[in-house]
Amino acid sequence: MDASHPAELNEVENPIRHLNELTALTQNKYGNTPRPEKGELLFISAMQLAQRAKWNEAAQKLQAAIQEAKRASAGEPEAISAMCLGWVYTRIPGHKEDAFPNYSSPLQHWES
């Protein structure tokens, strides 16, 4: 691909492999294996659906994970779910324009 032409949205990489670099979520859990929170379970379920190319169902789960994170005032999980929702939207016909806002809101969290 020519560097002067931006990548198409459908060429965006799966964000899962980058999460360890972006988040400190696992660094704050000590002791016995913690029980996943509801938002984490929704996120895991969504990404399993995405791995099977069930994009609409994955988007619904990620939207629920974002709402759960907002309810719990959990900025990091909300940012991660929003970033992944942006990626899922790049795979759903007619929703590519919804991807950008879901990429920009996590950036605000990580830049602060």
Side-chain angles (χ1 to χ4, degrees), residues 43 46-47 58-67 81 84-85 88:
F43 174 80
M47 297 316 294
Q60 291 172 353
K61 293 282 187 182
L62 286 167
Q63 290 165 348
I66 291 168
Q67 291 306 311
S81 294
C84 291
L85 180 58
V88 167

Side-chain angles (χ1 to χ4, degrees), residues 85-86 89 94-103:
L85 180 58
Y89 278 150
H95 284 277
K96 289 185 180 182
E97 67 280 354
D98 297 324
F100 182 75
N102 286 285
Y103 282 126

Side-chain angles (χ1 to χ4, degrees), residues 11-18 47 50-51 84 87 91:
E11 295 177 16
V12 176
E13 289 184 52
N14 183 331
I16 292 296
R17 67 185 204 96
H18 300 290
M47 297 316 294
Q51 291 293 337
C84 291
W87 175 71
R91 305 300 198 238

